[in-house]
Amino acid sequence: IVVQDNSDEASLKDQISELGYENIVYNYTAGVVSFVDNFDLAIQLSNGKYAMIIGDDDGITSLALKVAKWADNNDICCVKPALSFIYFWPGSKVFDHDDNGILHIYKYNGNITKYDPREGVKSLLGKSCQDYLNNELIKLYHGIVRRDLLEAVRNRTGRYVGGLSPDIYLSVALSLMSKNEAFSINVPLTISGICTGSGSSQSATGEHTGSLEEAPHFRGHTDYKWNNKIPKFYSVETIWGDSAMAAVSEINPDYAEYYEPETLTFRCLRKYPLYKAEILSNYLKNGGNKLKLGMFFFSKVINKLFSIVKHEQKEKLQIKNNLDTIIEASKECELWLEEHEEMLGGADRRIDQER
């Protein structure tokens, strides 16, 4: 276990020492460290055959180690789990009321399927690098990845992580470097935490917007080159786009031909009218077509009308309130897994038996 700490002070060191575990590596890095450098340092300090990264507001379930052993026994390079446990820390600002530490549990079924991550990259690029969690990509953040694939990225680029947003950069870079099929397992291995300082919370509350100079992602970077296919302002959508394209540029530039700008242009025009001039200018400068964009807008309106009837949202099974920390949320998740073993769909037995 590696704890890479860039807090204001290193008080966490004493708390970890008191636990008495020899398998915890704690590293404190003072000063300004970029998001990607912090991730890179954590990976450098790790030494396992498989790796997983979570944030300081996230949690992990007891299934994670079992699935990693299953992957090792069956020569599987990567496993993408379900994000079925979502914990909102007290004061996350996502909710107008009852913002008191809320755990949402969503349906999962234990299905295990193969997918081609390079096809996932093509799909992602076709949607302007948006909604990357909904694409069949390799995930190190909340997923499991074999070490040799991480080393392949480092050998190609000189480092493990690039771009500005480490999670999407790693997803694209690892997917492009992979020569094997990856596996998706529809069970929760982690607990996705959302606190007031997280990108998910800022995106939901609209705080994740402004000029590029205001973006926290640039802290620790000097002379960063923003991708010219992406409008130059700060939002979750543009940060995703730039970081995904950074991975494409560094790993396999030929994949840039799959990039289609309409999804990003549509979303940014709808959500950030203040930056309309920059959004349209960037779209047209990169070969965009007004007629094509107009047809895209029209198709979105039609799809939205039909989705009122046909769209199926992820089924929420339970909500638990008044959980003060991720530790309490983790205990509730373990209790849920124990009491609802049938939801694993036999995946737990399959994992235990397959060698």
Side-chain angles (χ1 to χ4, degrees):
I1 300 173
V2 173
V3 179
Q4 170 57 34
D5 188 3
N6 182 228
S7 305
D8 294 335
E9 38 82 27
S11 60
L12 190 58
K13 181 179 181 180
D14 293 334
Q15 297 177 44
I16 291 175
S17 296
E18 291 173 2
L19 295 175
Y21 291 111
E22 296 182 356
N23 64 334
I24 300 179
V25 176
Y26 174 79
N27 185 61
Y28 178 73
T29 306
V32 178
V33 179
S34 71
F35 294 158
V36 296
D37 286 341
N38 216 37
F39 268 62
D40 204 89
L41 284 167
I43 299 171
Q44 288 180 44
L45 291 167
S46 66
N47 61 8
K49 187 173 181 179
Y50 287 83
M52 168 191 280
I53 286 184
I54 60 172
D56 57 0
D57 54 357
D58 300 319
I60 193 168
T61 75
S62 57
L63 290 173
L65 186 57
K66 182 183 288 190
V67 170
K69 290 178 178 178
W70 167 76
D72 189 22
N73 290 334
N74 291 278
D75 194 30
I76 294 171
C77 77
C78 310
V79 180
K80 179 173 74 73
L83 287 178
S84 298
F85 294 152
I86 313 293
Y87 171 62
F88 300 88
W89 285 75
S92 67
K93 299 182 181 179
V94 174
F95 304 101
D96 294 330
H97 56 85
D98 296 332
D99 194 4
N100 54 12
I102 305 171
L103 175 65
H104 287 186
I105 298 176
Y106 293 88
K107 188 176 181 179
Y108 53 92
N109 58 24
N111 287 348
I112 300 175
T113 56
K114 294 180 182 179
Y115 66 92
D116 185 342
R118 287 162 297 185
E119 290 299 315
V121 174
K122 292 179 185 178
S123 175
L124 179 75
L125 293 170
K127 294 181 289 188
S128 309
C129 310
Q130 303 304 299
D131 301 325
Y132 83 100
L133 293 176
N134 295 330
N135 287 269
E136 298 289 15
L137 300 169
I138 291 171
K139 292 175 59 181
L140 179 63
Y141 190 57
H142 289 274
I144 294 173
V145 177
R146 197 164 59 198
R147 186 84 197 189
D148 58 353
L149 189 55
L150 288 166
E151 295 304 326
V153 170
R154 190 184 193 187
N155 291 337
R156 176 69 61 88
T157 67
R159 55 185 296 138
Y160 294 111
V161 195
L164 295 172
S165 178
D167 46 351
I168 189 169
Y169 176 93
L170 282 164
S171 282
V172 175
L174 292 166
S175 296
L176 288 175
M177 286 301 301
S178 175
K179 294 180 173 58
N180 302 306
E181 290 180 313
F183 278 73
S184 174
I185 181 167
N186 196 268
V187 297
L189 306 185
T190 62
I191 304 154
S192 181
I194 298 175
C195 67
T196 185
S198 70
S200 299
S201 172
Q202 292 172 348
S203 176
T205 57
E207 297 178 15
H208 217 305
T209 313
S211 66
L212 284 184
E213 291 74 20
E214 297 170 344
H217 298 72
F218 282 91
R219 295 171 190 160
H221 290 274
T222 56
D223 301 322
Y224 183 81
K225 187 176 180 181
W226 184 261
N227 190 279
N228 61 15
K229 292 183 181 294
I230 309 300
K232 292 184 177 179
F233 71 95
Y234 169 48
S235 70
V236 63
E237 293 85 0
T238 54
I239 292 291
W240 276 355
D242 173 78
S243 293
M245 293 306 295
V248 169
S249 298
E250 294 175 6
I251 302 295
N252 192 336
D254 291 344
Y255 271 70
E257 69 178 80
Y258 297 106
Y259 180 80
E260 298 285 348
E262 281 72 30
T263 298
L264 179 60
T265 304
F266 169 77
R267 290 192 180 183
C268 288
L269 285 173
R270 181 167 55 89
K271 294 180 67 175
Y272 313 113
L274 182 64
Y275 297 96
K276 178 180 178 180
E278 166 60 23
I279 296 163
L280 287 175
S281 173
N282 181 270
Y283 177 73
L284 296 173
K285 182 173 63 178
N286 284 287
N289 182 286
K290 287 185 178 180
L291 178 59
K292 184 177 181 181
L293 184 62
M295 293 299 294
F296 186 87
F297 270 63
F298 179 74
S299 70
K300 285 295 181 183
V301 172
I302 297 299
N303 287 340
K304 186 174 183 180
L305 289 174
F306 279 101
S307 70
I308 294 173
V309 177
K310 296 183 178 180
H311 181 63
E312 293 184 7
Q313 292 187 343
K314 196 173 180 181
E315 184 179 349
K316 191 183 297 179
L317 301 178
Q318 193 169 90
I319 299 175
K320 289 185 173 289
N321 296 303
N322 298 308
L323 302 174
D324 291 337
T325 68
I326 192 69
I327 296 174
E328 292 183 29
S330 297
K331 291 177 180 177
E332 290 292 338
C333 291
E334 290 300 323
L335 184 61
W336 175 273
L337 289 170
E338 182 180 335
E339 293 179 348
H340 298 82
E341 186 177 346
E342 75 285 353
M343 286 185 60
L344 295 175
D348 53 336
R349 293 187 296 276
R350 180 177 170 185
I351 288 168
D352 285 336
Q353 293 168 4
E354 287 190 5
R355 295 290 182 267

